Amino acid sequence: MAISNQVLVCDVCETEILVKFQVGVLDQYPLFYSCPTCSTNIYGDILIDHDKGILTFKLHNATHKNGMEGDYILVLSGEFPSIKMIPYTRETLMATSFSPFIRYSPHSAQAHRAYEVLLQFLPSFIDDEWRKIERIANLYFNDQDTYLESEVEKLRKSPRIKMSPYEKDSSVSKLITTVFREMQLCNPLQPISLDDLTQRLHLIKQNHPSTYEELLHFYTRDDLLRVQKGLFTLFNTFVNHYRYLSPVVYLEGKGMLISEVGNHEGLNTVSFDRLDRLYQNTYETLLANSTIALMLDNLMVRGSIHSMNPSIQVRRRPVVTLQDYISLTNGQKLKYLSDASNIISHVFADALDNDLRNPIGHNNYSYDPNSQLIRFNSNHGNQPAKEMYLIEFADKCFQSMKVNLLLWDLTVLIRKLILEQQ
């Protein structure tokens, strides 16, 4: 994997940035930084034709030239965290001589597995298999059964897809989630297995049939299909952002915490403005559909889908039933979801944060593209701003995707239970 050095010259002030990147397995390296002299945003893609050994630059607000010197150094990596913008000196040139691949190379079996998963989901998958999955999902959501089975069979031949014998709901669900499930093998967010959950519900069905019936009658199968459409949209959106999030996916798969990376490394492939709407849309969708997770917790922990935790107070009028919960704001819902007594839904609080969502929604934040520090300003008086680096925020987006996977699984399970009861 050769190291390529290119100098990018700002079109506004002519500040020169030495960009160092490794020509590895990717065919496209997104790039984003703010000129340290004039603050012009410079962004685009470096495209690599591996067969011909050709680099193509598609840049906005900068031009490129060959060279080994500049006013600043920027290290670029698509797969791993990379050193943020630093002034060019003899010492910093030496400090950046080791590429991100060398520093994060997968030596252990766990890291090798994480790297394989990373590559499995990178551009060739996104540009090929995922588009086929997208059209299969569209057939499924629109009840086009005449064409659905044949399309599923076509994709079964892909070595990247793990399939079960054809069955409408389970086959489509497996297609949509198989790669997402691979991505979270090393550190699963899901606090309870589906097998364990199914067994618990089976016991409730035997011992408390009336409360079990409440579960099956709260949603119709069509209601749950509409929920799945929204959750699939999030999967699709995540795929479109994956090339920017892959470093945090690799770190988790390798067994490293984001805090281990340090303040000097981050993501030089994306701006906060590309990820903030992803987080906001995910936040809104997940909390709007969180009723599915909470009703299961109410049933398993408190004996009925409507048995809300009475010790939690979020407004003057008591929240007594699940319908009361649905009428809450999303920020208020988080107080119930983060209840430590819950078996399932407390994981929402690990990924979703009202102190991030509200400043994003009201444009009440600041972002330094080169330090990559985000300040989320509070709307509540003298409460201090919440600070977070871009790579930490990217990890929040990744953890949110896993909550989406959890909700998808719960939706598929309840649809199956309703069908079995009919």
Side-chain angles (χ1 to χ4, degrees):
M1 294 186 176
I3 302 293
S4 179
N5 298 276
Q6 297 287 326
V7 175
L8 303 190
V9 183
C10 175
D11 288 344
V12 177
C13 66
E14 299 186 349
T15 295
E16 297 189 350
I17 309 295
L18 174 63
V19 177
K20 301 169 68 70
F21 64 98
Q22 194 149 24
V23 180
V25 297
L26 300 184
D27 55 10
Q28 181 177 359
Y29 285 84
L31 170 73
F32 181 92
Y33 67 89
S34 178
C35 176
T37 302
C38 68
S39 300
T40 296
N41 289 336
I42 296 171
Y43 57 96
D45 293 285
I46 302 173
L47 308 176
I48 303 172
D49 187 326
H50 291 281
D51 295 332
K52 298 179 180 179
I54 298 174
L55 299 179
T56 304
F57 293 80
K58 292 186 176 181
L59 301 173
H60 299 277
N61 301 326
T63 55
H64 70 93
K65 68 178 185 179
N66 294 328
M68 281 293 297
E69 295 184 359
D71 302 304
Y72 295 85
I73 300 175
L74 184 72
V75 179
L76 183 65
S77 175
E79 307 101 312
F80 313 106
S82 51
I83 296 172
K84 301 174 190 177
M85 182 84 70
I86 51 176
Y88 181 101
T89 65
R90 183 186 299 272
E91 290 75 18
T92 56
L93 185 62
M94 288 294 296
T96 56
S97 61
F98 294 100
S99 70
F101 182 83
I102 292 175
R103 288 184 291 108
Y104 289 100
S105 57
H107 296 298
S108 68
Q110 181 176 346
H112 272 291
R113 174 64 180 141
Y115 193 58
E116 288 174 3
V117 169
L118 190 74
L119 299 185
Q120 183 182 29
F121 203 55
L122 279 167
S124 61
F125 179 88
I126 293 171
D127 295 338
D128 187 10
E129 278 94 336
W130 182 257
R131 299 310 162 205
K132 297 174 186 175
I133 291 173
E134 188 177 17
R135 78 187 187 200
I136 286 171
N138 187 60
L139 292 171
Y140 174 73
F141 292 135
N142 289 287
D143 290 324
Q144 295 293 327
D145 294 352
T146 304
Y147 306 101
L148 179 60
E149 184 173 356
S150 63
E151 288 300 310
V152 170
E153 287 301 319
K154 290 177 187 177
L155 201 55
R156 186 188 298 277
K157 299 173 184 177
S158 169
R160 303 189 190 200
I161 301 296
K162 296 181 179 179
M163 284 295 300
S164 55
Y166 180 77
E167 180 187 339
K168 181 179 175 180
D169 289 353
S170 62
S171 292
V172 173
S173 179
K174 191 80 177 281
L175 277 173
I176 290 172
T177 63
T178 182
V179 178
F180 295 101
R181 219 172 296 284
E182 290 287 312
M183 287 165 56
Q184 66 164 357
L185 269 179
C186 298
N187 185 17
L189 183 68
Q190 193 158 310
I192 180 173
S193 72
L194 288 176
D195 287 342
D196 186 25
L197 178 57
T198 302
Q199 290 175 7
R200 292 182 185 221
L201 292 175
H202 181 68
L203 289 175
I204 292 172
K205 179 181 180 181
Q206 288 182 323
N207 300 325
H208 305 282
S210 61
T211 58
Y212 182 80
E213 287 294 325
E214 284 183 330
L215 172 69
L216 299 189
H217 288 97
F218 193 82
Y219 287 103
T220 67
R221 294 187 83 240
D222 286 342
D223 291 336
L224 295 170
L225 187 66
R226 284 190 288 272
V227 172
Q228 284 183 296
K229 287 182 180 180
L231 300 182
F232 180 79
T233 298
L234 290 188
F235 282 135
N236 207 26
T237 304
F238 181 84
V239 167
N240 293 332
H241 288 77
Y242 180 75
R243 66 176 70 253
Y244 311 117
L245 304 176
S246 53
V248 300
V249 178
Y250 176 71
L251 286 183
E252 180 175 287
K254 192 174 187 285
M256 292 182 63
L257 299 174
I258 298 298
S259 58
E260 295 180 51
V261 172
N263 297 343
H264 65 292
E265 291 186 90
L267 308 177
N268 295 324
T269 56
V270 65
S271 72
F272 173 65
D273 293 336
R274 186 177 287 275
L275 297 183
D276 63 352
R277 301 306 168 193
L278 168 65
Y279 185 80
Q280 183 177 0
N281 291 341
T282 304
Y283 177 99
E284 303 295 344
T285 301
L286 294 182
L287 287 176
N289 295 303
S290 60
T291 308
I292 295 170
L294 189 64
M295 75 175 184
L296 287 168
D297 274 326
N298 285 345
L299 176 61
M300 292 186 294
V301 177
R302 290 172 282 275
S304 167
I305 64 170
H306 292 292
S307 295
M308 305 296 296
N309 187 337
S311 67
I312 299 176
Q313 297 293 327
V314 297
R315 65 184 187 190
R316 292 182 180 179
R317 183 164 60 87
V319 177
V320 179
T321 70
L322 210 54
Q323 281 302 151
D324 295 332
Y325 172 81
I326 291 172
S327 67
L328 297 175
T329 66
N330 284 337
Q332 290 171 334
K333 288 177 181 178
L334 268 176
K335 292 184 180 295
Y336 284 92
L337 295 168
S338 59
D339 179 5
S341 68
N342 291 337
I343 297 173
I344 298 173
S345 56
H346 61 83
V347 299
F348 282 75
D350 296 333
L352 306 180
D353 190 335
N354 205 39
D355 291 335
L356 305 185
R357 184 271 167 208
N358 280 348
I360 291 172
H362 294 93
N363 293 312
N364 192 17
Y365 61 84
S366 61
Y367 176 60
D368 182 333
N370 292 332
S371 70
Q372 298 182 10
L373 184 65
I374 315 162
R375 287 178 55 89
F376 298 95
N377 300 315
S378 173
N379 296 324
H380 303 293
N382 296 323
Q383 186 173 328
K386 193 165 197 171
E387 295 187 343
M388 180 179 292
Y389 285 106
L390 180 63
I391 194 168
E392 296 175 294
F393 184 73
D395 186 58
K396 287 286 188 183
C397 294
F398 177 42
Q399 301 306 321
S400 299
M401 187 282 299
K402 293 195 286 184
V403 177
N404 192 53
L405 178 58
L406 169 63
L407 267 182
W408 176 277
D409 285 341
L410 297 180
T411 305
V412 171
L413 173 62
I414 296 173
R415 290 190 85 227
K416 180 181 178 182
L417 296 177
I418 293 172
L419 181 62
E420 290 174 349
Q421 194 78 345
Q422 291 175 348

